Amino acid sequence: KAGVTQTPRYLIKTRGQQVTLSCSPISGHRSVSWYQQTPGQGLQFLFEYFSETQRNKGNFPGRFSGRQFSNSRSEMNVSTLELGDSALYLCASSDGTSGRVDTQYFGPGTRLTVL
Amino acid sequence: AQSVAQPEDQVNVAEGNPLTVKCTYSVSGNPYLFWYVQYPNRGLQFLLKYITGDNLVKGSYGFEAEFNKSQTSFHLKKPSALVSDSALYFCAVRAARGSQGNLIFGKGTKLSVKP
């Protein structure tokens, strides 16, 4: 099976702009989670989607949002970008079946630079 | 609150020697524990996980981890290190209860294996 794909791989934006990142999970996986990775804060959970519904959310401001489509592909959006949003954004997919503890498989990430 | 600690920022090992990367956790209830590895400019690769059962878990690339409930530890080990094992290693935990999407990661340990 193909792995998790994320597009684009690199992005450069300026403060105040908005950005949309895309993630295609492994075929058959219904859960998609997003994480932010920075040198200072490490890996932090943003949110998780399962069957088009947000199932869990981390401690990030409302500028960070996401959605999931019927084919399980997911997008995350960051509005009004700040310099501190510069990070590697990682998407992870898992089977997501309720009651199981699934392994999350990560994509290569999108490197966002805010100038 | 759930947390993971990786007490060593960096571990240096000579090729052929055994390696240990340490991880301790704090979680309410039974923990689900994971190890991931990250190579430069790449996403995270799953190595192994502990859910229940045998305290010694075997994973990918010859890695194994030992779960110790009394010491709340989940150390990653490999009998004979390779130069290609040099990378950033992350321990992660999720409580048995709660959403599947929320992994709590340690800060990471940089493993350097010298020839």
Side-chain angles (χ1 to χ4, degrees), chain B residues 50-85:
Chain B
Y50 172 83
I51 304 301
T52 187
D54 199 351
N55 289 343
L56 186 63
V57 179
K58 293 190 182 297
S60 306
Y61 313 117
F63 284 93
E64 57 188 28
E66 186 171 10
F67 172 68
N68 187 317
K69 188 173 183 178
S70 63
Q71 297 185 5
T72 61
S73 67
F74 188 56
H75 300 332
L76 181 70
K77 300 181 180 183
K78 187 174 183 181
S80 179
L82 300 172
V83 173
S84 58
D85 292 330

Side-chain angles (χ1 to χ4, degrees), chain B residues 95-111:
Chain B
R97 296 190 182 91
S99 172
Q100 299 188 49
N102 188 353
L103 283 174
I104 308 298
F105 285 90
K107 290 294 186 183
T109 298
K110 182 179 180 181
L111 174 65

Side-chain angles (χ1 to χ4, degrees), chain B:
Chain B
Q2 303 168 53
S3 65
V4 174
Q6 294 181 242
E8 301 154 318
D9 290 336
Q10 180 154 345
V11 170
N12 298 311
V13 177
E15 188 176 31
N17 283 0
L19 70 87
T20 299
V21 183
K22 296 179 180 178
C23 171
T24 59
Y25 66 90
S26 174
V27 64
S28 300
N30 294 322
Y32 294 164
L33 295 155
F34 302 79
W35 275 102
Y36 286 86
V37 60
Q38 186 176 36
Y39 295 96
N41 299 315
R42 303 281 296 276
L44 276 68
Q45 294 181 30
F46 170 73
L47 284 177
L48 51 80
K49 68 181 178 183
Y50 172 83
I51 304 301
T52 187
D54 199 351
N55 289 343
L56 186 63
V57 179
K58 293 190 182 297
S60 306
Y61 313 117
F63 284 93
E64 57 188 28
E66 186 171 10
F67 172 68
N68 187 317
K69 188 173 183 178
S70 63
Q71 297 185 5
T72 61
S73 67
F74 188 56
H75 300 332
L76 181 70
K77 300 181 180 183
K78 187 174 183 181
S80 179
L82 300 172
V83 173
S84 58
D85 292 330
S86 298
L88 191 56
Y89 290 79
F90 290 95
C91 181
V93 68
R94 190 172 69 240
R97 296 190 182 91
S99 172
Q100 299 188 49
N102 188 353
L103 283 174
I104 308 298
F105 285 90
K107 290 294 186 183
T109 298
K110 182 179 180 181
L111 174 65
S112 178
V113 182
K114 300 296 185 184

Side-chain angles (χ1 to χ4, degrees), chain A residues 35 37 48 100-101 103-104, chain B residues 32 36 38 94 99-101:
Chain A
Y35 294 83
Q37 185 178 22
E48 182 212 1
R100 294 177 55 191
V101 182
T103 298
Q104 293 188 14
Chain B
Y32 294 164
Y36 286 86
Q38 186 176 36
R94 190 172 69 240
S99 172
Q100 299 188 49

